[in-house]
Amino acid sequence: MRANYQVNSGVRFQMLSDDQLEELFESVLHVLEYTGLEVHHEESLQILKDAGAWVDGKRVRLPSYMVRRALELAPRSFTIYARDGNPEHDIHIGPGRSHFGPGPTCPNFIDVETMERRPYVKSDVPLVAKVVDALPNIDFCESLGTVDDVHHDLGATYEFAGMFPNTSKPIVAWSYDKYDSEEIHKIAVAEAGGQEAFERRPNYIHYCEPLSPLVSTEDALDKLIFAANHRVPLIFTPCPIAGGTAPVTAAGIIIQAAAESWMGLTIAQTLQPGLPFFMGGVLSVMDMSNMILAYGAPELSLFMAGITELAHYVGLPLWQTGGCTDSKALDEQAAIEGSLSAYFSALTGGDLCHDVGYTESAMTGSVFQLAMMDEAIGYARRITRGIEVNEDTLAVDVIHNVGPNGHYLREQHTRNHYKTEFFYPNLCDRRNYEEWEMMGKQTMSDRVVSRVQDILATHEPSPVKPETEKVIEEVLASAEKRVK
Amino acid sequence: MNETLEKLSTCILEGDSEAAPGLVQQALDDGVVPKTILDEGMVVGMNEVGDRFRRGDMFVPEVLMSADAMQSGLEILRPELVSSGVKLIGKVVLGTVQGDLHDIGKNLVGMMCEGAGFEVIDLGFNQKPEAFIDAVKEHQPDLVGMSALLTTTMRAMGHTIKSLEEAGLREQVKVMVGGAPVDQAFADRIGADGYGSNAVAGSDLAKRLVGAG
Ligand code: B1M
């Protein structure tokens, strides 16, 4: 028996001390109580007022006890379920677990045949979902684009209808307003077997965004209230830009973003105590030469790590960001920026890391970037899994048995562990020069492209129930009527 | 070049809002005509700012400090320019269109236009076509600038141009558009007079559209 023995089973990463986190936490409460936010939503104003908020016109200040209570109510651990019951596709949210997936709504897409950038269209949706379904290190699905070739108000509905049958990994669904939120929900509930069954085993997450600085908008809150009333796990994620729509300093942007998220948290927990809630979001810098929000900046990783630590300090899961790039091509820049942010995100244990596969600063979605990042995430996951120390892994006996001048190739110990101890690359090449030459001197991007094409040609996601297929058709037909 | 004008141009380049009004006043006291103060003092400084920014030698916050210095100098100079019959560079009515909440890009365009000497009337975000119409009637601008960041709200720029036509106001203003998903082809399609790919291109375009570029 070991006594008084501490185990670190993964790589430990902590940036901020408890004192610093407490200071950040108190600062968020201060902003919410003294500065307050604008809330552009009548019903929410009433909900907040009834719950004890100070409301002056649209300006809402939250006494800190309200926020503490909301934080208390929100769960740290819960499960989002695969629609088909495949336990491998369930997502268990909880301490020390990070998950990855693409981002939403880019206007453009890298065509999988021509490799050219063009507007994102409806037929891209099932294709992205299939690739997500097949990639081992991608855990949830978003579509990487805004469908351009349907009625513009129906983009989100068509997107969900296209993703849902093509992956059983949980989907993170955005929407324009409560109407498409409702359409999406109908499809998910049909597959779950009714509202009550859905509440027990939610199979998707709803995503909405406040406006930085310090505004909760009408559409965002319409969607939030829809999700809360139907007990759909919720992401409320701002997208502040340091030096533009948020303070230029890391600590400053983190507390502003948290304040924006927690206004949503407070409304959601008042309406639906215990609703699974992720705080957000995308925190990065304004590039002061090119005037863009930089998705490949090191500060993105740093800000995201800081807000992840704050979220975990208060017992909330976080909507992380990584695997994205400002590059326009599948090139070295894309690999560096994407891999480093994915790795950093994995280190933080940030709960759902999105925007994997974003290129050109969120303007263009790419399944190639996504597939390349799948490899980087696998690599990162092997590192963060860490070193296991026990009698077996210490291998003292094995060392003794093999002794000087021996080898380990035939050892049972090797046979027992080589599959789990080592990471096996899908894309990185470790052949010797001659073999590499013989295989056509393929580069990383060549291999990424063939992997994606191979998945598209061979992967069969598990189908939805026949009833759900019918519901999807009905939902799309009635959505078309809605916008006529 | 007059020594005061040289100081004024340096002061704009260095973004010194406090010194600018005093230097403008000093130039006026020296007897320099208002238009010369503008063209050979302030604009010289601001052009250098533009060049340095394009070369990557200056950053956005510095450019905005210069724009502020330009505006603080103009506060003294504007009435003198008006009374000496000089046409000011122009007035811009600017807004993010209906349904769209993205506004930091629009804010940047506005500040860059101020730096170029324009008077900017910023309507804010999520602005209906009627808001642009009312603002054109009220402020009589030379330019209407619209920003949209969503493929869904880009259409609202076209609708706003139509509304300007219907209100009989299209002829009296130039229209410029911008925002991440917007491009020249789209601007042409909806009948805008120009498209700016970023905030500096936007203010350069504004200058060109009023014949000052
Ligand atoms: C008049 O003449 C001119 C001339 C030049 C002009 C001009 C006018 N206007 C701009 N310019 C030009 O000059 C500026 C400086 O150089 C530039 O301005 P920009 O505004 O482009 O640049 C800024 C300085 C920095 N850039 C930005 O500020 C925008 C960054 C991104 C990430 C972005 C942000 C920050 C936000 N968002 Co939004 N957002 C994205 C953006 C991705 C991207 N790469 O653009 C984009 C635009 N958003 C998108 C979406 C979908 C959405 N967003 C939404 C919300 C938001 C936030 C509120 C969270 C936030 C805005 C906060 C704010 N205060 O502005 C939602 C819509 C809200 C609404 N109704 O408007 C929502 C629908 C999200 C959702 N799924 O719920 C995507 C659009 C997709 C599409 N098909 O159109 C998007 C490309 C991101 C993505 N991949 O999802 C030039 O374009």
Side-chain angles (χ1 to χ4, degrees):
Chain A
M1 270 289 271
R2 290 169 170 145
N4 201 15
Y5 182 83
Q6 182 183 343
V7 175
N8 297 337
S9 73
V11 175
R12 275 164 30 121
F13 170 90
Q14 185 164 10
M15 193 171 60
L16 297 163
S17 70
D18 280 356
D19 288 340
Q20 289 171 306
L21 286 167
E22 192 180 356
E23 209 169 341
L24 287 178
F25 176 53
E26 294 299 333
S27 303
V28 183
L29 295 182
H30 181 91
V31 168
L32 284 165
E33 183 161 330
Y34 290 91
T35 306
L37 268 77
E38 269 187 24
V39 173
H40 296 189
H41 195 267
E42 289 305 324
E43 188 185 347
S44 302
L45 286 169
Q46 197 55 51
I47 293 167
L48 287 163
K49 197 170 176 182
D50 293 345
W54 301 311
V55 177
D56 300 298
K58 285 187 171 12
R59 191 66 164 261
V60 177
R61 294 176 176 81
L62 300 180
S64 63
Y65 77 86
M66 279 182 74
V67 183
R68 287 177 195 273
R69 197 167 56 195
L71 288 167
E72 191 71 15
L73 288 170
R76 172 71 184 94
S77 300
F78 49 88
T79 300
I80 311 293
Y81 293 88
R83 63 160 166 73
D84 62 351
N86 174 0
E88 302 223 324
H89 286 184
D90 289 345
I91 293 183
H92 301 289
I93 298 296
R97 295 167 176 276
S98 47
H99 307 88
F100 292 82
T105 53
C106 303
N108 309 304
F109 191 62
I110 303 293
D111 189 287
V112 291
E113 303 284 330
T114 64
M115 305 295 291
E116 293 293 327
R117 170 186 185 266
R118 54 147 175 84
Y120 187 97
V121 292
K122 199 170 91 182
S123 56
D124 296 326
V125 178
L127 183 155
V128 173
K130 260 189 202 173
V131 174
V132 165
D133 200 65
L135 290 173
N137 294 302
I138 299 298
D139 309 301
F140 63 88
C141 188
E142 293 195 87
S143 84
L144 285 176
T146 315
V147 177
D148 197 44
D149 55 345
V150 299
H151 187 291
H152 274 166
D153 295 339
L154 301 185
T157 303
Y158 271 99
E159 196 183 310
F160 192 82
M163 285 190 285
F164 199 63
N166 285 292
T167 179
S168 68
K169 292 183 179 171
I171 291 175
V172 175
W174 70 283
S175 68
Y176 285 116
D177 50 39
K178 57 187 172 195
Y179 301 106
D180 41 357
S181 295
E182 201 175 329
E183 287 156 1
I184 288 165
H185 191 64
K186 266 191 197 145
I187 297 174
V189 162
E191 179 78 1
Q195 175 64 28
E196 207 189 310
F198 172 84
E199 289 183 18
R200 290 193 197 156
R201 293 175 66 88
N203 56 20
Y204 80 104
I205 302 172
H206 194 301
Y207 161 108
C208 39
E209 295 177 315
L211 175 70
S212 303
L214 302 180
V215 179
S216 300
T217 61
E218 180 160 11
D219 283 345
L221 292 181
D222 264 353
K223 295 190 279 177
L224 177 142
I225 287 176
F226 179 89
N229 284 338
H230 295 82
R231 229 185 150 80
V232 186
L234 182 70
I235 293 168
F236 201 63
T237 171
C239 185
I241 316 176
T245 55
V248 68
T249 48
I253 190 174
I254 289 169
I255 64 165
Q256 184 187 302
E260 289 160 352
S261 266
W262 295 356
M263 180 58 81
L265 172 84
T266 306
I267 300 169
Q269 298 300 330
T270 306
L271 275 176
Q272 184 68 266
L275 180 76
F277 181 97
F278 296 82
M279 64 183 275
V282 180
L283 281 63
S284 191
V285 296
M286 166 120 98
D287 179 289
M288 291 296 185
S289 296
N290 298 297
M291 297 175 285
I292 59 147
L293 186 166
Y295 275 78
E299 295 83 5
L300 174 134
S301 292
L302 201 58
F303 297 172
M304 292 311 301
I307 198 166
T308 307
E309 291 186 357
L310 177 62
H312 293 171
Y313 179 77
V314 299
L316 286 179
L318 191 98
W319 180 236
Q320 253 273 3
T321 309
C324 41
T325 178
D326 297 315
S327 175
K328 287 83 193 159
L330 187 68
D331 63 359
E332 291 79 355
Q333 179 186 344
I336 292 176
E337 293 177 344
S339 303
L340 281 173
S341 59
Y343 175 51
F344 217 69
S345 176
L347 281 176
T348 67
D351 301 72
L352 293 179
C353 175
H354 82 306
D355 287 351
V356 180
Y358 264 20
T359 68
E360 195 200 333
S361 327
M363 290 303 287
T364 300
S366 163
V367 277
F368 302 108
Q369 175 76 7
L370 181 72
M372 181 162 72
M373 288 303 108
D374 179 71
E375 181 87 336
I377 296 162
Y379 199 109
R381 282 186 159 160
R382 176 60 194 104
I383 295 175
T384 54
R385 189 147 57 82
I387 293 175
E388 208 180 328
V389 181
N390 57 39
E391 232 166 275
D392 183 32
T393 62
L394 286 167
V396 173
D397 291 345
V398 191
I399 296 169
H400 180 78
N401 289 343
V402 172
N405 286 319
H407 68 75
Y408 290 84
L409 286 169
R410 215 177 261 132
E411 289 302 308
Q412 188 57 40
H413 190 255
T414 305
R415 289 174 191 173
N416 289 347
H417 292 294
Y418 78 96
K419 273 205 172 134
T420 48
E421 278 288 304
F422 297 176
F423 166 70
Y424 291 88
N426 285 303
L427 294 170
C428 289
D429 175 79
R430 295 176 179 176
R431 294 185 172 91
N432 66 25
Y433 190 87
E434 284 73 20
E435 282 177 68
W436 177 70
E437 198 175 32
M438 229 165 57
M439 300 295 291
K441 294 188 173 179
Q442 285 200 339
T443 62
M444 181 71 175
S445 28
D446 297 333
R447 293 190 294 272
V448 168
V449 171
S450 27
R451 177 127 206 257
V452 167
Q453 282 166 351
D454 185 48
I455 289 173
L456 291 176
T458 59
H459 185 72
E460 291 289 344
S462 81
V464 291
K465 299 174 185 160
E467 308 90 271
T468 310
E469 264 173 50
K470 259 187 59 205
V471 170
I472 293 177
E473 273 168 36
E474 285 161 18
V475 162
L476 291 178
S478 84
E480 287 289 352
K481 273 199 210 120
R482 165 163 80 82
V483 297
K484 272 249 161 74
Chain B
M1 189 167 149
N2 174 307
E3 199 188 318
T4 313
L5 291 188
E6 210 163 305
K7 273 197 198 147
L8 181 59
S9 114
T10 311
C11 150
I12 301 284
L13 178 60
E14 288 173 353
D16 189 344
S17 295
E18 267 170 39
L23 287 166
V24 170
Q25 191 57 54
Q26 197 181 322
L28 287 168
D29 294 346
D30 290 352
V32 187
V33 290
K35 179 137 174 48
T36 310
I37 299 179
L38 182 67
D39 291 345
E40 291 175 27
M42 301 173 81
V43 171
V44 173
M46 213 52 216
N47 285 345
E48 179 63 22
V49 170
D51 289 345
R52 291 194 184 185
F53 181 71
R54 270 181 281 268
R55 284 202 307 268
D57 292 341
M58 263 176 105
F59 296 101
V60 171
E62 294 161 324
V63 175
L64 297 181
M65 279 169 69
S66 295
D68 289 349
M70 182 85 179
Q71 285 297 321
S72 75
L74 275 177
E75 251 156 59
I76 308 290
L77 195 62
R78 201 173 275 130
E80 304 294 329
L81 286 166
V82 172
S83 64
S84 61
V86 176
K87 192 186 167 305
L88 294 172
I89 177 165
K91 223 192 251 182
V92 188
V93 159
L94 188 65
T96 299
V97 294
Q98 182 169 19
D100 205 313
L101 307 173
H102 300 82
D103 65 347
I104 190 76
K106 180 252 323 157
N107 295 344
L108 277 168
V109 176
M111 289 183 277
M112 294 294 175
C113 285
E114 282 176 356
F118 285 94
E119 191 185 331
V120 175
I121 293 117
D122 187 342
L123 304 179
F125 57 78
N126 194 11
Q127 293 297 319
K128 295 196 175 83
E130 300 85 77
F132 284 93
I133 307 273
D134 292 347
V136 170
K137 286 185 185 154
E138 186 188 340
H139 301 285
Q140 300 290 321
D142 306 273
L143 278 166
V144 169
M146 289 183 278
S147 182
L149 266 280
L150 301 170
T151 39
T152 48
T153 56
M154 280 161 65
R155 293 172 297 170
M157 304 208 277
H159 300 160
T160 308
I161 292 181
K162 260 226 184 82
S163 303
L164 284 169
E165 279 164 10
E166 283 161 14
L169 300 168
R170 180 67 182 90
E171 295 305 313
Q172 74 185 59
V173 290
K174 298 280 186 198
V175 174
M176 62 171 190
V177 294
V182 179
D183 59 17
Q184 187 63 53
F186 178 80
D188 294 343
R189 208 154 62 234
I190 61 168
D193 297 300
Y195 148 75
S197 64
N198 62 36
V200 175
S203 77
D204 287 350
L205 171 70
K207 283 193 275 185
R208 250 180 293 127
L209 289 176
V210 298

